[in-house]
Amino acid sequence: MEKVVVLTGAGISAESGISTFRDSNGLWEQYPVEEVASIDGWHRNPQLVQSFYNERRKKMMEASPNEGHRQLVRLEQYYDVSIITQNVDNLHERAGSKNIIHLHGELTKACSERNSNYVVDIDGWEIKHGTLAPDGSLLRPFIVWFGEAVPMIEPAIDLCEQADYFVVVGTSLNVYPAAGLINYVPPAAKCYLVDPKEVHVARKITTVAEKAGTGLKKVVDELIALANAEKE
Ligand code: NAD
């Protein structure tokens, strides 16, 4: 089976009612990023950061996967599909996708403030401020904040290097190292971009300027047609 690698961002979850960060009405208009998505912000006011992510977790649990997430599941009957997501929600998992790498962490998990390898699943939407990890330090959201290392970038690069097809959906490609992943995709691989707004990509790419639901349906239909043609 040929390999499809999909890089997703906040835009794929927009139709599920989860805010993106940079669009108008995006989260960063309401919360200063340096306060809620940086390690310094956490040290300054862990209670604010904890409640910000508790709120995100609650919204995620109330939301459902949308057509965009479901289209990617459909592709698995025809291709070896891997999803690299910048999202911290679990909508790809709940739609039924199998191979998912979360570059920026997961809302459903928490980790020890002292050792981010000490990870626990969260029961429900809330981490009560002051809850301790098994190692005795404060339990913090399992999120990669700005300025922190991105440990999952190495396996993500490995996947990109093996791609026969690469699909980018719902990301402004403003956040590195995620935005640089496309540079590891072999030159022979066909690339698609699904986003209603213009996104700069420094390589040949087929652009579908639509929302994830309708845009991914077009891309997935085309990929399935190619797989069927290959069989004949
Ligand atoms: P971004 O906010 O920078 O960009 C979102 C992109 O999605 C934009 O290009 C926008 O045009 C596009 N978009 C908006 N609606 C869309 C739709 N219906 N269909 C398809 N595309 C649509 O998001 P980013 O590039 O993912 O980077 C922001 C960072 O914020 C990420 O690192 C991510 O971890 C985090 N974040 C995650 C979530 C989530 O987990 N759902 C939500 C907000 C932010």
Side-chain angles (χ1 to χ4, degrees):
M1 261 185 173
E2 286 189 299
K3 189 157 190 58
V4 178
V5 178
V6 188
L7 174 66
T8 70
I12 196 170
S13 295
E15 286 164 272
S16 295
I18 298 182
S19 306
T20 62
F21 268 3
R22 290 187 178 74
D23 292 317
S24 56
N25 279 329
L27 290 171
W28 290 0
E29 289 193 344
Q30 301 157 47
Y31 300 88
V33 58
E34 58 280 7
E35 297 309 322
V36 296
S38 76
I39 190 69
D40 289 345
W42 167 256
H43 288 141
R44 270 194 296 276
N45 192 346
Q47 205 151 355
L48 172 83
V49 176
Q50 202 73 276
S51 62
F52 174 79
Y53 286 99
N54 282 341
E55 200 53 42
R56 306 276 74 72
R57 205 174 290 114
K58 199 175 185 182
K59 287 253 151 44
M60 172 190 81
M61 289 169 81
E62 287 162 6
S64 304
N66 65 55
E67 192 54 30
H69 300 103
R70 284 192 289 272
Q71 286 297 328
L72 295 178
V73 181
R74 188 175 155 231
L75 205 51
E76 290 189 3
Q77 289 169 41
Y78 304 85
Y79 290 93
D80 170 10
V81 180
S82 297
I83 296 173
I84 303 168
T85 187
Q86 298 168 83
N87 293 347
V88 295
D89 67 49
N90 62 0
L91 297 182
H92 284 303
E93 283 88 346
R94 283 162 57 199
S97 283
K98 284 198 209 75
N99 307 314
I100 305 155
I101 286 186
H102 283 271
L103 282 179
H104 296 157
E106 293 172 71
L107 277 173
T108 54
K109 295 177 178 163
C111 65
S112 142
E113 186 186 34
R114 208 177 297 146
N115 179 0
S116 59
N117 293 323
Y118 218 143
V119 182
V120 294
D121 288 327
I122 301 171
D123 201 12
W125 63 275
E126 191 179 26
I127 310 177
K128 288 227 161 42
H129 181 61
T131 308
L132 299 183
D135 67 354
S137 71
L138 213 51
L139 206 55
R140 59 162 264 188
F142 182 58
I143 303 290
V144 175
W145 286 321
F146 285 103
E148 294 192 301
V150 183
M152 296 310 284
I153 198 70
E154 290 301 329
I157 288 173
D158 287 348
L159 284 174
C160 291
E161 287 174 339
Q162 297 165 37
D164 297 299
Y165 297 93
F166 190 67
V167 182
V168 180
V169 47
T171 169
S172 60
L173 292 180
N174 272 313
V175 177
Y176 281 84
L181 281 171
I182 194 164
N183 299 324
Y184 294 92
V185 175
K190 178 155 191 195
C191 298
Y192 296 88
L193 174 87
V194 179
D195 200 299
K197 288 202 188 136
E198 198 178 335
V199 177
H200 176 72
V201 182
R203 74 171 272 168
K204 190 166 175 269
I205 197 155
T206 300
T207 299
V208 181
E210 290 184 29
K211 291 183 174 179
T214 55
L216 273 178
K217 166 124 184 24
K218 286 183 184 166
V219 172
V220 167
D221 282 348
E222 180 170 318
L223 287 172
I224 291 174
L226 286 170
N228 284 334
E230 193 85 349
K231 274 192 220 144
E232 282 163 12

